[in-house]
Amino acid sequence: MNHIKISVCMTTRNRGAFIGATLDSIICQATDEVEIVVVDGASTDNTDAVLQLYQQRFPRLRYFRQDANQGIDRDFATAVELAHGEYCWLFCDDDLFRPGAIQVVLDAIKSDYALVIANSEVRNADLSRLLEPKRLPFKKNRLYKPNEIALLLTDTAAYLSFIGCVIIKRQVWAMREKEKYFGSYFAHIGIIFQQPLPGDALAIAEPLVSIRYANASWLSKSFDIFMFKWPDLVWSFAEISDSAKYRVCPKEPWRDLRTLLHLRAKGIYTKNEYAKSLKPRLSSFWARVASKAIAFFPGRVANLLAFTYYSIFHRVSSRLLILLDLANSPYCFWKLPIKRHTPSKTGSSDVGQIAASIQHFGQD
C-alpha cells in the first residue's frame, strides 16, 4: 500500500440506494494509486450487501462496518486513520466524481500541497438538472500561502462546510487537534483552520464533483447546527481576526430577525426551536417578543414573502430558489417540479449547502 497517493474516505449509513453510483464514478477512473475506504455507521438497509459486491469488483475498496453510529465527525476521523494514502479525499456517499477528477488531483498533489479544495457543480436529486455550475465562483485556481489562513477562511469556509471538497494531506490531519471538534458536524473545518497550515493550499477552479442536492434540510438538528454549532466553530479560531470571521458568519446569527424569518420560510425555525434554543438566550423583552412572533408567524406566508423578496429584488431563478431551500420547504406555496429522494443520514453534502444558503441571506 506504500504506492497509494489518494485514499477516498467515505462515511455512510443507510445509503444502499445511492452509494453504488458514487462508487461507480470513482472506480471507473481510479488508478493503482487510489484506494477507497468506507466506514459504515451501522446501516440497517442493504448498504453492507452493496459494498461487498463492489469489493469484488475493486480490490482496493476497504469496507469497515461499525456496530454503532459514532457520528459523522468521528466516522470520518476513523476513515482517515484507516487510510493508507498520502492524501485523503473526504467524500460523501451520494455525490459523484466528475470524469477526470482523480487525474486532476493526482497532478495537483505532485506539488506537495497541505490542502487541496475541489470545486463542485450542484445538481438536483436525480442529477438531471444543473442547479449551479460552480460552487466556488473562481475562474482559475487559487493558491494560499500558510500566512494567508484568514483569506482562505473568508474565500472558502462556507464551501468547505461541504466535506466532499476536502483533499487533505494525511500527515497534516494526523498532527492536528481533532477531539475538541467532534460533535460539531464540521470537524474537518476545525482541523484545517485551528492554526496556519504547514504548507500551501490550492483551490481548484474546475468542478470535480457533482453534488446530488438532497432534501435533508429539515433534519431536527438543522437550527442548532447553523445558529450555534457553525458560528461557535468559526469564531473559535484564535489566530484569525474577528473581521475575517464575521465575513464568514456573524458570531450570533440567531439575533438577526431577517435570518430567523428566512429560516421560518424554510421550515427550520419553529415555536419549539424558539422555546428550546432562543428564549433562554435572549435577555431583552423585545428581542423575545420579536423572535417568538417570527416562530409563530404562518409558515406559508413567510415562504411567500421570501420568494417575493428574492424574485423581485435579486431576480433569483427557480433553480436558485431550490438551492436556497425555499422550494423544498414544507411551507412552499408553489411546488416546483423537484424529484425528491431519501434524506441523508450523515447530512454531509446537505450541511454544506444549507450553511451556504443561510450565510448568503445573512450577509445580503
Side-chain angles (χ1 to χ4, degrees):
M1 286 292 186
N2 292 335
H3 66 286
I4 297 295
K5 295 295 184 181
I6 298 175
S7 296
V8 181
C9 297
M10 300 171 58
T11 67
T12 190
R13 186 168 186 268
N14 293 340
R15 298 310 295 267
F18 299 99
I19 196 168
T22 300
L23 293 171
D24 283 336
S25 75
I26 302 170
I27 291 171
C28 71
Q29 57 181 292
T31 69
D32 292 341
E33 298 174 299
V34 177
E35 69 168 357
I36 304 171
V37 179
V38 180
V39 173
D40 183 347
S43 291
T44 56
D45 67 351
N46 66 334
T47 297
D48 180 78
V50 172
L51 265 296
Q52 290 187 42
L53 286 174
Y54 275 87
Q55 280 185 301
Q56 296 175 22
R57 285 181 49 193
F58 190 72
R60 293 186 306 285
L61 169 56
R62 300 164 58 223
Y63 173 52
F64 303 89
R65 191 181 188 282
Q66 301 182 116
D67 293 332
N69 182 18
Q70 301 297 317
I72 185 172
D73 294 324
R74 289 186 183 276
D75 283 356
F76 266 112
T78 298
V80 174
E81 289 172 5
L82 294 167
H84 294 136
E86 183 180 351
Y87 285 82
C88 292
W89 190 334
L90 312 183
F91 206 66
C92 307
D93 56 5
D94 64 339
D95 298 327
L96 306 181
F97 275 26
R98 284 176 52 79
I102 288 178
Q103 191 58 54
V104 171
V105 174
L106 284 171
D107 291 341
I109 62 177
K110 291 177 182 177
S111 296
D112 199 34
Y113 297 112
L115 173 72
V116 176
I117 302 169
N119 208 351
S120 303
E121 65 174 18
V122 184
R123 292 186 170 271
N124 63 343
D126 66 0
L127 304 173
S128 64
R129 185 181 182 190
L130 181 65
L131 303 178
E132 192 172 29
K134 282 187 176 185
R135 205 71 187 93
L136 283 175
F138 297 168
K139 293 182 178 180
K140 60 182 181 179
N141 294 352
R142 292 191 183 181
L143 183 69
Y144 299 87
K145 296 293 184 181
N147 63 356
E148 296 178 304
I149 189 73
L151 181 61
L152 178 65
L153 181 85
T154 57
D155 281 358
T156 68
Y159 175 59
L160 280 168
S161 60
F162 162 58
I163 199 168
C165 72
V166 176
I167 305 152
I168 189 167
K169 200 168 188 179
R170 186 159 59 93
Q171 183 181 5
V172 173
W173 179 284
M175 64 190 292
R176 315 283 268 196
E177 186 175 3
K178 292 175 280 292
E179 187 74 29
K180 66 182 289 187
Y181 301 112
F182 290 164
S184 70
Y185 290 81
F186 305 104
H188 61 288
I189 299 284
I191 291 166
I192 292 170
F193 290 104
Q194 60 187 246
Q195 57 183 306
L197 291 166
D200 295 345
L202 176 72
I204 298 176
E206 175 188 357
L208 304 181
V209 177
S210 293
I211 296 174
R212 188 195 297 268
Y213 195 75
N215 296 322
S217 308
W218 321 125
L219 295 175
S220 60
K221 300 174 183 177
S222 294
F223 187 82
D224 179 60
I225 290 171
F226 300 111
M227 292 296 98
F228 306 110
K229 290 185 181 297
W230 172 250
D232 286 351
L233 175 63
V234 171
W235 283 80
S236 71
F237 304 135
E239 297 193 37
I240 297 177
S241 69
D242 287 354
S243 60
K245 289 181 283 195
Y246 187 81
R247 289 180 62 187
V248 177
C249 70
K251 191 173 186 178
E252 297 178 327
W254 45 273
R255 293 188 183 276
D256 186 282
L257 298 182
R258 291 192 312 155
T259 297
L260 293 182
L261 184 60
H262 182 59
L263 296 182
R264 181 63 182 151
K266 293 169 64 170
I268 291 177
Y269 181 48
T270 66
K271 58 184 178 181
N272 291 332
E273 295 296 349
Y274 166 76
K276 179 181 67 175
S277 302
L278 286 196
K279 186 178 179 180
R281 288 177 166 86
L282 294 169
S283 57
S284 165
F285 170 78
W286 292 112
R288 289 197 300 271
V289 168
S291 299
K292 184 176 182 179
I294 293 174
F296 281 79
F297 193 75
R300 287 189 176 275
V301 177
N303 187 267
L304 175 60
L305 289 174
F307 258 102
T308 303
Y309 171 78
Y310 280 109
S311 298
I312 294 177
F313 293 101
H314 295 273
R315 298 182 179 180
V316 169
S317 65
S318 62
R319 65 182 178 84
L320 290 181
L321 289 172
I322 296 173
L323 289 175
L324 289 168
D325 282 322
L326 295 174
N328 294 335
S329 170
Y331 301 130
C332 182
F333 70 98
W334 172 44
K335 291 298 181 184
L336 294 169
I338 307 164
K339 186 173 289 187
R340 298 177 179 272
H341 71 280
T342 305
S344 168
K345 301 301 181 183
T346 58
S348 52
S349 63
D350 305 313
V351 159
Q353 299 306 315
I354 301 166
S357 71
I358 289 173
Q359 289 150 31
H360 170 86
F361 182 83
Q363 298 179 32
D364 213 352

